[in-house]
Amino acid sequence: MSENLDSLTAAQIASGVASGDFSAVEVARAALDAIDSRDAQVRAFLQVTPELALAAAEEVDARRAAGEELPPLAGVPFAIKDNMNLVGTRTTCASRMLETYESPYTATCVRRMLDAGCVPVGKANMDEFAFGSSTESSAFHPTGNPWDPDRVPGGSSGGSAAAVAAGMAALSLGSDTGGSIRQPAALCGVVGMKPSYGAVSRYGVVAFGSSLDQVGPFGRTVEDVALAMDALVAGGSDAFDGTSRAVEASFRAHVNDDVAGGRVGVIPELMRAPGLAPEVARAVEEAADALAAQGVELIEVDLPHLDAAIAAYYAIGPAEAFSNLARFDGVRYGYREPGCPNLAEQSAKSRARGFGAEAKRRQMLGAYLLSSGVYDKYYYAAQKARTLIARDYESAFGRVDAILMPVSPTAAFKFGELSDPTQMYLSDLFTISINIVGNGGVSVPVGLGADSGLPVAAQLVGRPFDDARLLSFARAVERGLASAGRGLAGAVAPLFAGKGGDLA
Ligand code: GLN
């Protein structure tokens, strides 16, 4: 039998391994081969972990041979954003600051994927410390978009999205502070979910903005993302993360629920936002049509304070980043400049050498925003805006079960195209407010844009902790598009589909 690994979803791999159609070791080898042959072009990985992958796969095969019942994702290869600790790997955050940092323990999210039987194939590239929307701020190298390697994969979890889109892993984990799962998912044509804030533990994930950060999965189908969500929440709240909450592992069980009679909000004004590419607006309309055809009622809603979201985020995010990143001083953590006569100089020089431009920009902004006489003007105002935006969503969710909107205003852009940081910040218009309020959001591929020929996507946002229901709407979009011959469910970028990574 010869089957391309990259044509298999996580659900298919787990069931094939459980029934003995192929072994977990065969799947792991195929994934490692796919990385060998494709990653020279994509550069999604900062570190590949063949020993860890084969050891995990051998354990799965041994358990099956012993007649044990296998966990739900047994043998499924997954990639891990490099801001998540996994013992036996470095956790670099794509920064010189942590270039040699060995994970001292394993993050809860990674541990739970391992407990579900997943096989870790490597650590994925990202924007340095997760600051960015293109993975261009990685200190090590950029990552190419598998649909067009001259374009960015989005960011900050660009490596995680690209690994799945290129068929080098069936699942991956990312983190989303202002859109970093949903936007790269949109640009790479895969499904990406930011769960409600607190649904997934952040323990062992290097913090950016602690009130905004949330871990979530990428997959090539909504069902795969549902399976990963079940794994991530299994075991309930995490004693090591005070903000984590117990969530029922019923994502897969509800993913195909009938959505007829459900109500989904649409925001006509948002669809006229400057900078929104017509092909992206059209993608959102197609998603709306797919829902309507399945008996979903579309209802116009209004989020009047959304305008303030980017400004509020670029006060709250940098302020939190400034305090979180103070620990990287060459003493407690991080690169240490040799030969300095005193601690102050050592800290200053270590930070100057260890951080790249965007990380410095964010921390300088945060330091300024929190300085006396300034914070009441900006930080307080941002917190007030946060409350107003949260009230907008609350009142909209009094009338609808989910809200449909764009993810990224455009398809994948070229390297260097958004070189002005402010322009890059503005590209987060549709994702940022969801982190500000904490609700769940998911990006669903709609197809290839008529103008760019690149993946375009739609975003669904749910009520807080109604993430399983949210995924059932996402699945309805995927299902509706598939029956109309659209969508990208299960698709590997054509440059790579079916090339290498065979199961023997
Ligand atoms: N692009 C946003 C930023 O640069 C979001 C990043 C993220 O979600 N980590 O801050």
Side-chain angles (χ1 to χ4, degrees):
M1 180 197 64
S2 175
E3 203 163 5
N4 281 307
L5 167 78
D6 65 18
S7 65
L8 299 181
T9 63
Q12 289 166 331
I13 292 172
S15 101
V17 167
S19 61
D21 294 345
F22 36 75
S23 70
V25 167
E26 284 178 293
V27 176
R29 289 226 165 89
L32 295 167
D33 286 352
I35 295 172
D36 263 357
S37 65
R38 302 170 192 185
D39 207 41
Q41 204 171 352
V42 183
R43 304 215 273 174
F45 288 92
L46 290 174
Q47 190 182 351
V48 184
T49 54
E51 296 85 8
L52 296 178
L54 291 170
E58 277 161 17
E59 193 190 317
V60 167
D61 289 340
R63 288 174 70 176
R64 183 168 186 281
E68 280 181 46
E69 195 189 324
L70 294 181
L73 289 172
V76 175
F78 84 119
I80 301 155
K81 186 175 182 177
D82 207 22
N83 60 354
M84 298 171 184
N85 282 279
L86 166 62
V87 168
T89 69
R90 293 180 297 281
T91 296
T92 70
C93 292
S95 179
R96 295 276 171 219
M97 190 51 109
L98 290 175
E99 191 167 3
T100 59
Y101 184 71
E102 295 288 336
S103 311
Y105 60 94
T106 295
T108 301
C109 56
V110 176
R111 163 65 34 223
R112 289 184 175 181
M113 296 295 280
L114 296 173
D115 288 346
C118 284
V119 166
V121 293
K123 304 293 286 291
N125 199 16
M126 54 187 281
D127 281 299
E128 184 177 14
F129 283 101
F131 301 130
S133 308
S134 66
T135 313
E136 290 168 292
S137 79
S138 167
F140 303 118
H141 53 74
T143 291
N145 188 309
W147 291 81
D148 177 353
D150 291 336
R151 292 174 186 268
V152 304
S156 64
S157 314
S160 302
V164 169
M168 300 188 286
L171 292 173
S172 63
L173 293 182
S175 62
D176 189 314
T177 306
S180 278
I181 294 173
R182 292 160 288 154
Q183 184 259 17
L187 269 44
C188 288
V190 298
V191 183
M193 167 133 186
K194 181 198 92 72
S196 294
Y197 178 81
V200 178
S201 166
R202 291 178 290 117
Y203 178 68
V205 182
V206 179
F208 164 175
S210 303
S211 77
L212 306 159
D213 295 345
Q214 186 53 202
V215 170
F218 294 89
R220 288 194 301 275
T221 64
V222 176
E223 183 190 29
D224 280 5
V225 163
L227 283 163
M229 281 304 302
D230 281 337
L232 289 167
V233 305
S237 68
D238 179 7
F240 293 117
D241 174 359
T243 60
S244 92
R245 259 172 67 166
V247 170
E248 204 193 329
S250 61
F251 290 85
R252 172 64 190 82
H254 287 295
V255 78
N256 283 309
D257 281 3
D258 191 358
V259 293
R263 294 161 307 163
V264 169
V266 290
I267 310 171
E269 203 190 313
L270 214 54
M271 304 302 293
R272 293 190 286 270
L276 179 65
E279 63 178 5
V280 175
R282 178 73 202 118
V284 177
E285 283 161 17
E286 281 185 71
D289 293 346
L291 289 169
Q294 292 173 74
V296 170
E297 190 186 348
L298 300 174
I299 294 173
E300 285 188 13
V301 294
D302 189 21
L303 300 170
H305 297 95
L306 212 57
D307 286 357
I310 290 190
Y313 173 86
Y314 279 98
I316 297 167
E320 293 186 6
F322 169 62
S323 34
N324 275 324
L325 271 61
R327 60 173 66 95
F328 302 105
D329 58 2
V331 176
R332 287 171 293 182
Y333 291 95
Y335 168 76
R336 181 180 299 172
E337 177 78 4
C340 296
N342 56 54
L343 270 180
E345 190 175 323
Q346 178 181 290
S347 162
K349 287 197 167 154
S350 302
R351 290 170 65 81
R353 293 261 161 85
F355 288 124
E358 186 61 28
K360 285 178 185 157
R361 200 174 289 131
R362 301 288 176 113
Q363 291 180 79
M364 285 164 69
L365 185 57
Y368 171 73
L369 289 166
L370 292 177
S371 57
S372 87
V374 175
Y375 71 87
D376 35 359
K377 220 156 104 199
Y378 296 107
Y379 185 75
Y380 278 4
Q383 294 295 6
K384 285 181 190 162
R386 188 173 199 169
T387 302
L388 293 173
I389 297 165
R391 285 192 194 140
D392 284 355
Y393 273 103
E394 255 170 55
S395 85
F397 280 118
R399 299 169 53 219
V400 295
D401 307 306
I403 300 176
L404 180 67
M405 59 175 89
V407 189
S408 161
T410 64
F413 44 92
K414 292 215 159 115
F415 290 104
E417 199 176 324
L418 295 190
S419 54
D420 168 9
T422 317
Q423 226 189 336
M424 186 81 86
Y425 299 171
L426 290 173
S427 74
D428 295 329
L429 172 65
F430 302 111
T431 50
I432 265 177
S433 66
I434 325 302
N435 301 76
I436 288 185
V437 301
N439 299 32
V442 57
S443 173
V444 194
V446 169
L448 301 181
D451 303 321
S452 65
L454 294 164
V456 286
Q459 175 175 218
L460 282 157
V461 179
R463 292 205 182 94
F465 290 94
D466 201 15
D467 297 339
R469 181 98 194 275
L470 177 62
L471 274 191
S472 70
F473 283 110
R475 171 70 190 121
V477 169
E478 182 185 69
R479 186 169 51 223
L481 289 167
S483 68
R486 288 281 284 163
L488 294 173
V492 169
L495 199 54
F496 300 100
K499 301 208 180 93
D502 286 358
L503 280 169

